[in-house]
Amino acid sequence: MIQTYLTLNNGLKMPQFGLGVFLIPDGKDTINACLNAFKLGYRHIDTAHAYQNERGVGEALKQSGLKRDEVWITTKLWPSEYGEGKTLEAIDKMLERLQTDYIDLLLLHQQVGDYIGAWKDMEKAVKSGKVKSIGLSNFKENLEDLLSHATIKPAAIQVECHPYFPQHELKARMAEFGTVLESWYPIGHGDPQLINEPIFTKLAEKYGKTNVQIILRWHIQEGNSVFPKSTNPTHIQENFDIFDFELSKEDMDEIAKLDCGKRYYTADLEEQKRFLSWKPAD
Ligand SMILES: NC(=O)c1ccc[n+]([C@@H]2O[C@H](COP(=O)([O-])OP(=O)(O)OC[C@H]3O[C@@H](n4cnc5c(N)ncnc54)[C@H](OP(=O)(O)O)[C@@H]3O)[C@@H](O)[C@H]2O)c1
């Protein structure tokens, strides 16, 4: 199966493309989506404790018959789990839910709470082998503080990213650490306005692809890791079928014109503090 990889700043190779499982209910829905994806050749799943479906991901991995080292699992700690000592306990619980003895990439899901204490524990988990790579998600205002305390620099940063908001400033900021950008809401959470932009329709006709495939191919050529969510078997198949064509420089330049600073999620740091009052169930 054709697939591309990104080399992280610790030398590990991560499949660039995967399946995101945000909002997929745990149990049969998550298991079926992951199994469908594995059968087609997907080798990367993006979950989080907050999604409450790590058990389904672990179960799918077990049922797939794939070897552990054939699949890349990313998951995320919620702020209620941040703090020295506390985070190591949370990691052990994650390993139990995922039925595995290591996590490929562990992210801090949000930039609020005791993220420095959490990062210290994550660094310890890397040393003990329970976690291979560590990174961030949704860090902006507190990014510099985290970086100044980090002995291990983030391997990845996962943020909202799509043609309306390509995150070029953040990528430039993180280049000195070799941090890979991971795109969430890669197709605008399914926003028809983004998907039906005339440039995507034009390029879809040119390459014999769908508009969504053009957008996903744009992420790949931007060098981002991308893991669109789907429970629809046709979409799961369509989304992965993007490795047999290449957008030209002119096409990429045309798509770049869509950059308008539009974000779907705009909560400021003060609003994000509400995350501190929620605790996902074990
Ligand atoms: N770190 C964070 O804070 C954060 C936040 C949001 C998301 N994420 C991660 O990023 C992943 C992707 O984001 P997302 O799920 O919110 O949004 P998305 O992948 O941009 O969009 C998902 C939506 O698009 C639809 N879709 C998928 N493939 C399609 C296709 N080929 N044609 C038409 N519609 C299609 C899906 O419906 P169907 O299921 O019907 O196909 C779903 O409604 C998440 O699953 C999660 O892993 C992380």
Side-chain angles (χ1 to χ4, degrees), residues 126-191:
V126 170
K127 287 201 180 75
S128 70
K130 290 181 180 178
V131 174
K132 302 283 184 196
S133 310
I134 55 179
L136 307 173
S137 164
N138 301 315
F139 270 65
K140 190 175 174 223
E141 291 85 346
N142 292 336
L143 177 61
E144 301 306 326
D145 185 37
L146 185 285
L147 289 173
S148 70
H149 286 85
T151 305
I152 301 178
K153 300 301 180 199
I157 184 158
Q158 188 177 122
V159 287
E160 178 178 343
C161 179
H162 39 71
Y164 287 152
F165 197 74
Q167 292 279 10
H168 290 156
E169 265 177 47
L170 179 63
K171 281 165 99 161
R173 168 69 188 100
M174 299 309 284
E176 65 174 294
F177 307 117
T179 305
V180 159
L181 192 122
E182 300 198 314
S183 305
W184 63 252
Y185 277 19
I187 53 170
H189 203 53
D191 176 22

Side-chain angles (χ1 to χ4, degrees), residues 55 89-100:
R55 284 191 177 83
E89 279 176 29
I91 291 170
D92 283 341
K93 287 182 186 163
M94 278 178 151
L95 293 171
E96 272 176 44
R97 288 191 296 270
L98 288 163
Q99 300 187 53
T100 181

Side-chain angles (χ1 to χ4, degrees), residues 203 207 209 213-214 217 221 241-247:
L203 294 175
Y207 291 103
K209 292 286 175 183
Q213 287 172 323
I214 299 294
R217 182 69 208 181
Q221 290 185 215
D241 185 15
I242 55 171
F243 294 99
D244 60 351
F245 76 108
E246 195 167 344
L247 298 167

Side-chain angles (χ1 to χ4, degrees), residues 20-22 46 51 76 109 137-138 158 184-190 212 227-232 235 238-239:
V21 296
F22 178 41
D46 184 86
Y51 302 170
K76 314 179 192 87
H109 204 150
S137 164
N138 301 315
Q158 188 177 122
W184 63 252
Y185 277 19
I187 53 170
H189 203 53
V212 167
F227 26 80
K229 170 265 170 185
S230 185
T231 48
N232 175 329
H235 289 166
E238 173 188 329
N239 295 347

Side-chain angles (χ1 to χ4, degrees), residues 245-271:
F245 76 108
E246 195 167 344
L247 298 167
S248 68
K249 182 178 177 310
E250 292 72 30
D251 300 333
M252 292 295 282
D253 289 346
E254 279 296 306
I255 297 172
K257 292 182 189 158
L258 293 179
D259 176 1
C260 58
K262 173 174 170 165
R263 307 189 66 159
Y264 293 92
Y265 179 76
T266 54
D268 65 17
L269 186 57
E270 206 42 46
E271 288 171 90

